Amino acid sequence: MKKFNSQLNIKFKLPEFVLVILIVISGVMLAFSSGSFVVNFKSIGFTLVSTVERELHIVTSSVKNAFLSVSELARLKKDYNELVKKLENYEQMRRTNADIRKENERLKSLLDFTTSLDEKNYPAQIIARDTDNIFSYLTIDKGSAHGIKKNMPVIAYQDGNAGVVGKITQVGRFSSIVMPLYNINCNISARIQNTRDLGIVSGTGSEDSPLSMKYIRKRMLDELHYGDIVVTSGENNNYMRDLAIGSISKITVLDYNSSLEIELTPIIDFSRLENVVVINMTEINSSKGR
């Protein structure tokens, strides 16, 4: 009985299925015959292709732009490093040019100074310093071959001021030793410029220490002031007259001493000193006035 019912249902549904198939086929044929199906297919395909192409273009453009950005960044970094290097070279060149200008100005000032001196003189450069020795000495690049002799005074021109450096104590063929005024064995006859009081200026053993002036009477205390200039006396023909030695930086009154203890700051800054002038006190400067 069940088997019969199943066969009956299949027979009943088969015609309906065939009918549906025929209707679908008829619709498709009708669509093809009218052209509407083809048009819709092309439209759908174009939309899909164009969408894919657009997305691919966006992706490829993004990737390309990313690579271009990396390349551009690398180029910019390279350009930046080159500009930094050029700037450093420019700064170095600018500093070098500035140093050369300063050196030329300093040497020109020195030349003008040596030309203006009445005495024959020999410009020289300091090539060594004996700072380990408590007496301290300077070595210059001029010797007997250039006309240098023992006991010649040595001066310098610095920041527009002429001042005492020391004297020649030893002469070689092409170099000489200078005993600077801060050497403890250096003693110079000097006067206080304003009062003309006579005393002796001595070194204390170091270019960083003040000079010492002695034998100035206590009664002169009220006439002395810090900053007063002390100059060479010109006696004994050791140095030219009225050449600056230093300025008063301290005055001490000692009960047991009839003289004042005076400290001087040298006119010449020895830590910056590079060039000096050796003076021949017995000959006239032939280049003066040229």
Side-chain angles (χ1 to χ4, degrees):
M1 185 68 179
K2 291 182 179 179
K3 184 177 180 181
F4 174 79
N5 290 335
S6 299
Q7 292 177 351
L8 181 62
N9 289 335
I10 292 172
K11 291 180 180 180
F12 178 77
K13 291 180 179 180
L14 183 60
E16 294 176 354
F17 176 73
V18 171
L19 179 61
V20 170
I21 293 299
L22 290 174
I23 291 172
V24 170
I25 293 172
S26 298
V28 170
M29 293 178 66
L30 179 63
F32 272 108
S33 64
S34 63
S36 61
F37 182 82
V38 175
V39 172
N40 291 337
F41 180 79
K42 289 181 179 180
S43 177
I44 294 170
F46 176 77
T47 301
L48 290 174
V49 171
S50 62
T51 301
V52 171
E53 287 179 347
R54 183 170 62 85
E55 295 300 326
L56 285 175
H57 176 71
I58 292 173
V59 172
T60 55
S61 296
S62 299
V63 174
K64 181 179 180 181
N65 290 335
F67 278 107
L68 290 176
S69 298
V70 172
S71 177
E72 181 68 11
L73 182 62
R75 186 184 67 81
L76 290 174
K77 184 176 181 181
K78 180 180 178 182
D79 292 344
Y80 172 77
N81 291 333
E82 290 178 354
L83 288 174
V84 169
K85 186 175 181 180
K86 288 180 180 179
L87 182 60
E88 290 176 351
N89 292 337
Y90 170 77
E91 289 296 328
Q92 179 64 34
M93 183 175 63
R94 187 178 64 83
R95 287 193 295 268
T96 300
N97 289 337
D99 292 341
I100 291 174
R101 284 196 299 271
K102 289 180 180 179
E103 179 70 9
N104 288 340
E105 291 173 0
R106 186 173 62 83
L107 292 177
K108 183 179 182 300
S109 297
L110 180 62
L111 177 61
D112 293 340
F113 171 68
T114 57
T115 303
S116 68
L117 293 174
D118 293 329
E119 298 82 7
K120 186 174 182 179
N121 56 82
Y122 311 91
Q125 183 176 4
I126 296 174
I127 57 175
R129 297 171 187 259
D130 183 8
T131 56
D132 295 332
N133 193 323
I134 191 173
F135 299 102
S136 299
Y137 291 91
L138 306 175
T139 303
I140 60 174
D141 63 349
K142 294 291 188 298
S144 59
H146 307 92
I148 306 298
K149 297 179 181 179
K150 187 176 180 179
N151 292 325
M152 281 185 173
V154 181
I155 66 175
Y157 188 73
Q158 188 180 72
D159 299 330
N161 298 312
V164 177
V165 172
K167 68 176 181 178
I168 300 294
T169 57
Q170 186 176 340
V171 181
R173 181 66 177 166
F174 299 105
S175 63
S176 301
I177 302 297
V178 178
M179 179 174 65
L181 58 84
Y182 56 80
N183 187 299
I184 60 174
N185 289 327
C186 184
N187 298 291
I188 301 175
S189 176
R191 292 184 183 274
I192 298 175
Q193 191 175 53
N194 294 337
T195 67
R196 308 308 296 177
D197 282 270
L198 183 66
I200 298 294
V201 173
S202 303
T204 54
S206 172
E207 64 181 51
D208 299 323
S209 301
L211 306 174
S212 173
M213 186 174 190
K214 299 180 179 180
Y215 308 117
I216 301 298
R217 295 164 294 176
K218 283 185 178 180
R219 64 183 180 84
M220 298 303 303
L221 180 62
D222 294 337
E223 299 184 37
L224 302 180
H225 306 87
Y226 294 139
D228 284 351
I229 301 298
V230 175
V231 298
T232 54
S233 67
E235 295 180 359
N236 302 321
N237 204 33
N238 290 328
Y239 292 91
M240 302 94 81
R241 186 183 179 88
D242 290 330
L243 185 64
I245 298 175
S247 59
I248 295 176
S249 57
K250 185 178 179 181
I251 302 174
T252 303
V253 179
L254 300 175
D255 294 336
Y256 59 83
N257 198 331
S258 60
S259 300
L260 298 171
E261 290 285 337
I262 300 176
E263 291 184 359
L264 307 178
T265 298
I267 291 295
I268 299 299
D269 183 353
F270 284 87
S271 65
R272 297 190 298 116
L273 188 61
E274 298 178 65
N275 298 89
V276 298
V277 180
V278 183
I279 305 297
N280 186 337
M281 299 285 291
T282 62
E283 294 188 35
I284 300 298
N285 184 3
S286 59
S287 64
K288 184 177 181 180
R290 290 184 180 180

